[in-house]
Amino acid sequence: MNQDLEKIEEAIKESSAWEKIRSVLDQHYDFTEEISISVQDVLIVITVIFITTLLLRLVLRVLTRNLPKPDKVKFNVVFGYFQWLIYIIILLITLNSLGVNVTAVFAASAALLIGIGLALQTLFQDIISGVFILIDQSVHVGDIIEIEGKVGRVEEIKLRTTRAVTIDNKVLVIPNHLYLENSLYNWTQNGTTTREAVSVGVAYGSDVQLVKKLLIQAASTHPDVIGSPEPTVVFTDFGESSLDFKIVFTINDSFKAQFPKSDIRFEIDKLFRENNVSIPFPQRDLHIIQKPDQNVQIRMKDSNGKSVNDDDNNTPK
């Protein structure tokens, strides 16, 4: 009997303690007439934020596991900004699910975010593009890239822009959003060696085997041309005024390809002259057919486009 009384007393004590806890948890704090938050709501929000933090850290670790240390630091900075945005969204959604009236806050936040998004649209595009570049590693420092017809060696990749140096030693600042809107050519993603070519045409009737030999000689003797793979001659076409050839060779620094290509053109011209191989220029034959009892009228104009003809220009034939 005494044991039963003790159990009842413990149950009453436990019940009263739980009721006190419940009363504390259910205690509401009114911030405005429409916003009222209880202690239980605060604990739920803290728990949700804690779980969100763990998930964000896991996502960050997965995204940056293959990034170099400098790129990882840049990505962490951007991810930190997005992290606060996610916290705000999760907080508002959690409060709304708990019955807190946050409609006014949602409306104000939506209007604010739309205004900021429209004003900073290009900036956000640049930053998001920079994040994509860091993640997929499509461009690295030292790569030679071509975009919108401009070629440069990448010196620095920032979150908003990419800094490159052109062949003329001029700094090229590329907004990162251009990577999403244009085709990007990475000359050195497969390695520093690239295949280059020089085209030339010779007159019809030339010894094509001699031409092939001279082209290979011109490319092989240049110090910047790599011996393996060996230079190759391609007979590209029978042109209107010439037989068209292309000498293909490999160099180790495509960023300065214009200089060895220029040297090879000089050497080709020299060898062709020494071996009597002519490089033709386009020629046209003009045939004038005059019918009987008709005059041929020749009109001449000066550099300003004004006619300089007089009556003597109309000569009967």
Side-chain angles (χ1 to χ4, degrees), residues 21 120-121 136 151 241 245 288 311:
I21 295 175
L120 303 177
Q121 182 178 5
D136 62 19
V151 179
S241 304
F245 292 84
I288 300 177
D311 294 338

Side-chain angles (χ1 to χ4, degrees), residues 125-189:
Q125 287 180 349
D126 289 335
I127 294 177
I128 292 173
S129 301
V131 172
F132 288 156
I133 293 172
L134 295 177
I135 292 176
D136 62 19
Q137 295 289 285
S138 59
V139 178
H140 299 83
V141 174
D143 286 352
I144 300 174
I145 62 173
E146 178 181 354
I147 186 170
E148 290 189 332
K150 300 175 182 177
V151 179
R153 190 192 301 273
V154 177
E155 296 291 334
E156 186 179 9
I157 301 175
K158 296 183 179 181
L159 293 177
R160 194 184 68 83
T161 60
T162 297
R163 179 176 172 269
V165 177
T166 65
I167 300 174
D168 301 325
N169 200 30
K170 298 177 181 178
V171 177
L172 179 63
V173 180
I174 306 172
N176 288 335
H177 76 270
L178 293 180
Y179 293 117
L180 299 180
E181 300 175 356
N182 300 274
S183 297
L184 172 68
Y185 297 94
N186 193 327
W187 290 11
T188 53
Q189 190 171 34

Side-chain angles (χ1 to χ4, degrees), residues 197-201 215 236 244-247 261 265 268:
V198 171
S199 299
V200 65
L215 291 177
T236 57
D244 299 330
F245 292 84
K246 180 172 21 176
I247 174 67
K261 289 168 73 172
R265 290 189 182 99
I268 290 174

Side-chain angles (χ1 to χ4, degrees), residues 79-94:
F79 192 81
Y81 295 133
F82 284 101
Q83 185 174 350
W84 285 109
L85 179 62
I86 292 174
Y87 281 149
I88 294 174
I89 295 175
I90 293 296
L91 176 63
L92 293 176
I93 293 176
T94 303

